[in-house]
Amino acid sequence: MRRTARGIAVLASATLALSVAACGGEDKAAEEQPKVDPASLTAELTWWDTSDPQNEGPAFQELIAKFNQTYPNVKINYQSVPFGEAQNKFKTAAQAKTGAPDILRAEVAWVPEFASLGYLYALDGSELLSDESDFLETPLASNKYDGKTYGVPQVTDSLALMYNKELLSKAGVSEPPKTWAELKTVSQTVKEKTGAEGVYLNPAGYFMLPFMYGEGGDLVDTGAKKIVVNSDQNAAGLKIAKDLIDSGAAAKPSANDSYGTMMTLFKEKKVAMIINGPWEVNNVKSAPTFGGLENLGIAPVPAGSARAGGPVGGHNYTIWSGMPQEKVDAAVAFVKYMSSAESQAFLSEKLGLLPTRKSAYQLAPVQNNAVVAAFQAVNEAAVGRPWIPEAGQFFGPLDQMATEVLIQNKDPKAALDTVAKKYKAEVVPGYGL
Amino acid sequence: MTTVTADPAPAPAPPGRSARPSWLRRSWEKHWYAWAMVLPVVIVLAVLIFYPLFRGIWLSFTNLTEANQVAEICTRSITGGEVCKDNPNKWEFVGLDNYLRVLTGEVGEFWQWTGTTLIWTFVCVACHFGLGLGLATMLNRPMRARGLYRVLLVLPWAVPAFVSAFAWKFIFNERFGLANAALSAVGIDPVSWFADRWTSLFTAIVTNIWLGVPFMMVALLGGMQTIPSELYEAAEIDGASAWQRFRSITLPGLRPVSMTVILLGTIWTFNMFPIIFLVTEGQPAGQSEILVTGAYRAAFEGIRNYSLSATYGVLILSILLVFSVFYRQALRKQGEVW
């Protein structure tokens, strides 16, 4: 999850750069006429934004300025909080019942956890969920806990295969690989013909999920309350990843700082393919040596024997339960504005972020955005994660396992058995093995 | 050394004896000012040390976590109203469960972390002391630009630990780092520093040595300057060699200082959190984790586990207590008082 977060921050920054050229376009965020006079709403709201302050932040602040054109008396206190700190900071403040923000941009895995602790308003019955069916199902699912909905999806994302078009065509490869087997061949061809490395796999739990999902595996079965992380499917998926490294098709990953290494190598054209999310698009685009968006190919993650799919990530708007009741109307108006199809289209145009509303995908700025179009196919194949309060804790043991298998050559099945035991002892004691 | 002592402190009164109150009263009447003087210190110690300490020990016998700390969890609805439900698994007293789970390895890797911590502490302190002593000896004689050398050698101490940690982490970066570039330049294959438990620990130890030597050097240099120079002159007249002078004058003369700094260094290194946390991040796969970083990860990632972190705290404290008791005994045998 930590890695996801980092990735998301990077993504955010990348998308911002994309959008600069597109500024000034249609500002048609003419939202439907509110029932009450917007000027009569008076409140001061604090918003903790966890997006990248350099790349994404300004676009959100621009949106706030637009919001204030309609709601002049709702003052939004914009605070940029580093993604990595926000979760603990919010929990500490919410528990102390003071100092927490009225509105928080929460990562998808945080919402069930905060909700289970009573830190969030349940939004059922409010205007925010009146058009619930417009939201994409999977991102919305991350806001549900115990039958109630605690947030509104802001952006969604998933892992994709990102490739260097120039290197692939130099190697004589016209199509990005569609299966792991093809990925191996393409990698080896790239290595032989261009001298660059074929693919770099980040040895972290989150980045191993496409391999496990590809064989039909998962971490836990929330319906049957069963830990299934040590299934044969997952072991088979990890064997594919390990074979990529052992055969020399994939670069030898480092145990420490592998994410940064992966990005540096990709930006410097020393590796042709990586598996990463839309949050890195702007970073890659702005790299001086890479060759901009024209050189960046985006394709769904390669398929295993069962399917192709990456994990669903993203962020949601949530409202702190400690916020006084009299501010509710203003908070609802703000979140409603920020998550409207027009606002999502604006962010998509500016930053390349993926909207969470079906209607937003019908709007011109989204439809004309090549990055969004490329990631839309990716997101359709994305696999929902188990939305339970403990979900954030799944990745610590999984990260260890990834290092053990990919770097220290431990047997995948044995490593997964250890993960399963840790889940049972430390994460979800109520689940069966 | 002479110490000025007032009357011995009164012993606590055993309960239930009628003869005692008068004794207590007499003591109070005679020494009330002493009690009054001591009171602020007692209060400060109680608030800052004893209350947190005993609360921590108490927590380690419960299963308190962030999720089960409140008796009821209330969910506020945006449309007004609040639903409160009894917390189904409220925290409770669990006796020694936490200790059993930690010591049997059901949760975390206590014994591996302890082993790594002991190796880490021993190697670091030995190198700190050895290098610090060597540098202090070299600087403890007249030479040109001595002040400059001292300033340069103290510099690592002045740099914030996290800055040095990140710098060293980058030096050992497997692809872009200076260490592997230097190895390649002399024709040695680059090393995957963080792929193996021992090379990974090595990077952290190197970082910590770089950080810790200045303190030892300054402390020992201070100690050396208190050794009377007459001793050296007399030894020289008697024909003692430099090595003999070092062994028979410098080392014994330094003992009061070195015993203290070794004890301090041991405790600091044992609990040195940032270096392992930032340089190796516990890689590979948690194998270079020491007790404090392992306990941090176990307790503060995800839903915070207060009782488990308290258990680790008590265990770490006990290890250090045992160490200090043995250390004090060893010192007392040598006739040191501190």
Side-chain angles (χ1 to χ4, degrees):
Chain A
M1 210 187 67
R2 253 179 300 142
R3 262 151 245 228
T4 327
R6 210 179 295 161
I8 286 162
V10 183
L11 161 72
S13 54
T15 41
L16 176 76
L18 274 181
S19 56
V20 174
C23 295
E26 49 258 89
D27 270 14
K28 53 162 184 168
E31 62 298 312
E32 66 267 38
Q33 216 41 45
K35 287 160 223 149
V36 286
D37 176 22
S40 70
L41 270 183
T42 308
E44 191 174 335
L45 298 170
T46 306
W47 179 34
W48 277 9
D49 183 17
T50 57
S51 67
D52 184 278
Q54 261 122 49
N55 292 305
E56 290 183 303
F60 286 111
Q61 280 172 301
E62 232 176 287
L63 257 190
I64 292 173
K66 287 184 179 195
F67 167 77
N68 278 337
Q69 287 168 9
T70 321
Y71 295 91
N73 297 322
V74 179
K75 186 176 180 302
I76 304 296
N77 204 341
Y78 176 88
Q79 290 178 3
S80 179
V81 178
F83 180 86
E85 295 166 19
Q87 188 182 13
N88 269 335
K89 235 179 137 173
F90 179 78
K91 286 203 285 187
T92 307
Q95 192 189 317
K97 297 191 193 322
T98 171
D102 302 310
I103 294 160
L104 171 76
R105 176 191 193 252
E107 206 251 355
V108 283
W110 300 353
V111 179
E113 183 187 336
F114 293 164
S116 75
L117 299 170
Y119 293 163
L120 300 178
Y121 267 111
L123 305 178
D124 300 79
S126 77
E127 245 186 294
L128 291 174
L129 296 173
S130 55
D131 52 353
E132 203 179 329
S133 56
D134 190 33
F135 286 110
L136 297 175
E137 238 166 82
T138 327
L140 185 65
S142 67
N143 292 295
K144 302 212 183 249
Y145 173 73
D146 211 9
K148 288 190 177 130
T149 309
Y150 291 87
V152 177
Q154 180 194 45
V155 291
T156 182
D157 61 58
S158 182
L159 291 177
L161 179 74
M162 296 163 83
Y163 59 96
N164 184 324
K165 288 182 183 167
E166 183 195 325
L167 283 176
L168 253 62
S169 68
K170 228 191 244 175
V173 181
S174 53
E175 288 274 295
K178 290 196 172 55
T179 64
W180 295 120
E182 279 178 41
L183 178 78
K184 188 174 166 184
T185 338
V186 170
S187 283
Q188 280 164 337
T189 321
V190 168
K191 210 173 167 185
E192 275 163 34
K193 299 212 174 145
T194 68
E197 308 245 31
V199 62
Y200 192 101
L201 301 179
N202 181 17
Y206 193 74
F207 291 80
M208 287 298 109
L209 290 177
F211 289 95
M212 302 188 197
Y213 291 160
E215 300 303 306
D218 206 340
L219 301 183
V220 292
D221 181 344
T222 46
K225 295 214 164 221
K226 197 167 162 8
I227 295 165
V228 294
V229 69
N230 54 345
S231 65
D232 293 335
Q233 289 100 315
N234 284 350
L238 287 172
K239 272 197 192 114
I240 294 172
K242 192 166 154 45
D243 174 59
L244 283 170
I245 292 170
D246 290 349
S247 65
K252 199 175 160 222
S254 30
N256 205 347
D257 216 7
S258 53
Y259 188 90
T261 306
M262 169 171 80
M263 289 319 297
T264 309
L265 291 174
F266 188 66
K267 287 191 287 186
E268 292 178 352
K269 297 189 185 175
K270 286 181 182 146
V271 62
M273 295 176 280
I274 57 171
I275 290 166
N276 214 331
W279 55 85
E280 285 294 0
V281 169
N282 214 25
N283 182 13
V284 173
K285 187 195 155 219
S286 50
T289 49
F290 187 77
L293 269 189
E294 301 80 56
N295 193 28
L296 174 67
I298 296 162
V301 284
S305 61
R307 59 178 168 178
V312 168
H315 297 273
N316 302 320
Y317 292 106
T318 55
I319 304 176
W320 175 42
S321 60
M323 185 187 76
Q325 193 82 33
E326 60 266 22
K327 288 209 238 172
V328 159
D329 286 341
V332 167
F334 177 64
V335 172
K336 191 170 167 60
Y337 182 86
M338 296 299 279
S339 63
S340 69
E342 288 77 16
S343 299
Q344 293 199 345
F346 171 81
L347 290 173
S348 188
E349 188 188 5
K350 286 242 162 192
L351 308 176
L353 299 181
L354 303 188
T356 56
R357 278 180 183 276
K358 290 172 198 154
S359 54
Y361 284 94
Q362 307 306 321
L363 299 174
V366 181
Q367 277 184 330
N368 302 337
N369 189 318
V371 175
V372 173
F375 269 105
Q376 206 179 346
V378 171
N379 262 52
E380 273 158 17
V383 182
R385 278 147 61 190
W387 304 122
I388 53 174
E390 298 88 354
Q393 290 167 277
F394 283 137
F395 288 96
L398 217 54
D399 284 344
Q400 285 200 5
M401 180 281 301
T403 310
E404 284 170 355
V405 171
L406 296 189
I407 293 172
Q408 301 193 298
N409 298 319
K410 197 169 166 187
D411 175 55
K413 179 72 181 152
L416 287 170
D417 281 339
T418 316
V419 175
K421 267 189 217 129
K422 274 193 195 148
Y423 282 4
K424 174 81 184 156
E426 300 172 27
V427 186
V428 280
Y431 279 38
L433 265 177
Chain B
M1 208 176 87
T2 57
T3 44
V4 184
T5 39
D7 300 19
R17 294 273 301 273
S18 57
R20 286 298 170 188
S22 62
W23 173 86
L24 197 62
R25 187 174 304 150
R26 254 187 295 133
S27 161
W28 173 250
E29 273 159 12
K30 195 168 168 197
H31 297 300
W32 65 268
Y33 54 91
W35 287 108
M37 295 290 181
V38 164
L39 197 63
V41 178
V42 171
I43 291 174
V44 168
L45 282 181
V47 170
L48 291 185
I49 296 179
F50 295 117
Y51 172 70
L53 181 67
F54 287 110
R55 174 139 176 94
I57 294 172
W58 157 246
L59 285 183
S60 72
F61 293 116
T62 69
N63 65 356
L64 184 79
T65 69
E66 190 178 20
N68 65 14
Q69 61 180 340
V70 286
E72 56 177 13
I73 292 177
C74 294
T75 304
R76 293 182 76 177
S77 169
I78 197 90
T79 50
E82 192 171 23
V83 188
C84 286
K85 269 194 288 190
D86 272 352
N87 195 338
N89 30 4
K90 193 175 142 33
W91 67 280
E92 58 194 4
F93 181 81
V94 294
L96 290 170
D97 261 19
N98 284 322
Y99 292 95
L100 277 179
R101 272 153 54 91
V102 166
L103 294 177
T104 56
E106 191 192 335
V107 173
E109 304 282 345
F110 181 78
W111 296 108
Q112 186 192 310
W113 294 341
T114 310
T116 312
T117 310
L118 293 179
I119 295 166
W120 151 261
T121 310
F122 179 79
V123 175
C124 282
V125 174
C127 292
H128 283 163
F129 187 75
L131 290 174
L133 187 62
L135 288 172
T137 315
M138 285 197 284
L139 284 179
N140 189 30
R141 54 192 165 132
M143 60 160 93
R144 231 188 300 166
R146 186 163 76 160
L148 180 71
Y149 290 131
R150 282 190 188 176
V151 170
L152 286 180
L153 284 166
V154 171
L155 212 57
W157 203 15
V159 179
F162 78 93
V163 174
S164 348
F166 282 123
W168 281 96
K169 182 184 179 180
F170 193 68
I171 289 176
F172 285 109
N173 187 301
E174 288 163 25
R175 290 250 181 183
F176 319 111
L178 203 62
N180 275 349
L183 286 181
S184 308
V186 295
I188 301 172
D189 278 345
V191 179
S192 297
W193 295 104
F194 299 104
D196 179 78
R197 182 180 170 191
W198 301 113
T199 51
S200 183
L201 199 57
F202 172 79
T203 63
I205 289 176
V206 169
T207 311
N208 197 37
I209 289 173
W210 188 80
L211 275 174
V213 161
F215 169 75
M216 285 288 185
M217 188 192 78
V218 170
L220 293 175
L221 196 56
M224 280 178 192
Q225 285 169 352
T226 62
I227 301 173
S229 57
E230 293 83 21
L231 292 178
Y232 289 103
E233 281 159 23
E236 232 165 316
I237 290 164
D238 289 346
S241 68
W243 172 245
Q244 283 172 322
R245 272 176 280 150
F246 177 73
R247 268 203 49 196
S248 313
I249 302 173
T250 311
L251 281 187
L254 275 182
R255 192 179 290 144
V257 176
S258 57
M259 285 301 175
T260 312
V261 291
I262 286 179
L263 179 71
L264 281 177
T266 306
I267 293 174
W268 284 341
T269 314
F270 196 96
N271 284 331
M272 177 62 88
F273 180 81
I275 303 305
I276 296 278
F277 192 75
L278 296 175
V279 176
T280 77
E281 297 181 6
Q283 296 290 5
Q287 290 165 16
S288 66
E289 215 85 80
I290 58 171
L291 272 175
V292 281
T293 60
Y296 174 84
R297 281 189 212 280
F300 288 103
E301 290 193 345
I303 292 177
R304 300 178 202 175
N305 196 329
Y306 302 130
S307 54
L308 194 64
S309 51
T311 309
Y312 280 114
V314 171
L315 287 171
I316 292 171
L317 179 69
S318 337
I319 295 175
L320 287 175
L321 269 183
V322 170
F323 167 76
S324 347
V325 166
F326 277 106
Y327 195 81
R328 269 195 77 160
Q329 268 176 359
L331 286 193
R332 205 169 283 157
K333 253 180 227 154
Q334 295 177 1
E336 299 291 342
V337 186
W338 55 278

